[in-house]
Amino acid sequence: MTPIPLTSVPNLRDVGGYRTGDGAKVRTGVFYRSTDLSRVADADMPLLDGLGIRTVYDLRTADERDAAPDILPNGARAVALDVLADKGIRSIPAQMLQVIADPMIAERELGGGRAIEYFEGSYRDFVAMPSAVSSYRELFGGLASNGNTPALVHCTTGKDRTGWATAALLLLLGVAEDDVFHDYLLTNELLLPAFAGVFEKFVDAGGDPALLEPVLGVREQYLQVSLAVMRERYGTVERYFSDGLGLDAGVQTLLRERMIAD
């Protein structure tokens, strides 16, 4: 895992470098994850262009994309995959920045443990909801195909929809679950500092910052929910890919060949 120091794109990192169970290593320079690319500063574009990204997989809703269009790196094409399309407007991950803009709305929507309930529900949906299934099928199928990598995967804050995408891929590649959680929880180190101004503004407006922590960061229990649903339905990550996403052993082998270095 290597953070890429773009101040205008927090939580951008190369997911490569982790060891697999058989001692191989996930390739670097193939799979990146980040927040959205709507605010890329001119000064950061050369570094972003230098990553050689061919495909940007955007897991946001149509409304999110319209409100904050990506600034694509040179030579990259965008693939829109609305993971939460079937969720509708009640999706907190998709609407979080609007919800937290007003402390009264935040208290109504997120107070009393409702934020954690919302996110646990979304992490169930990442595995089971039809729009999520079709989106992740296209994502992983695309990563296995020629000409689509290096690829960058993102949602709005690059932590939930992107977090499950990354976790599922690393598990399929044979990365230890402890390392998968390590990568997932790195968001708290790489993203939360970028929200310092949001916290300050929220507190100045009379809000309780404790409301924002489970929304703007990640928690181990969130990812545990997705894993529990995956195992309940499919037993293993390989069967999640084959039976859940319709990506058979041949596609899984191509993914491993593309993503793993001997």
Side-chain angles (χ1 to χ4, degrees), residues 29-47:
V30 177
F31 183 94
Y32 298 91
R33 57 177 294 182
S34 73
T35 60
D36 71 56
L37 303 179
S38 66
R39 295 174 297 277
V40 184
D42 290 344
D44 284 337
M45 282 305 300
L47 183 53

Side-chain angles (χ1 to χ4, degrees), residues 90-169:
R90 297 297 298 168
S91 168
I92 289 296
Q95 304 293 329
M96 70 173 77
L97 298 182
Q98 294 95 317
V99 170
I100 65 175
D102 185 322
M104 290 184 64
I105 296 175
E107 176 61 41
R108 184 184 72 223
E109 296 288 340
L110 307 175
R114 286 185 290 276
I116 294 173
E117 292 176 5
Y118 277 126
F119 276 91
E120 288 184 346
S122 291
Y123 275 74
R124 292 185 190 96
D125 290 336
F126 295 159
V127 180
M129 191 165 60
S131 60
V133 169
S134 62
S135 295
Y136 290 124
R137 177 190 301 122
E138 186 169 346
L139 166 63
F140 295 126
L143 291 175
S145 301
N146 290 327
N148 292 326
T149 56
L152 182 145
V153 179
H154 77 80
C155 44
T156 292
T157 52
K159 67 187 188 72
D160 301 307
R161 290 162 284 186
T162 301
W164 173 243
T166 305
L169 178 62

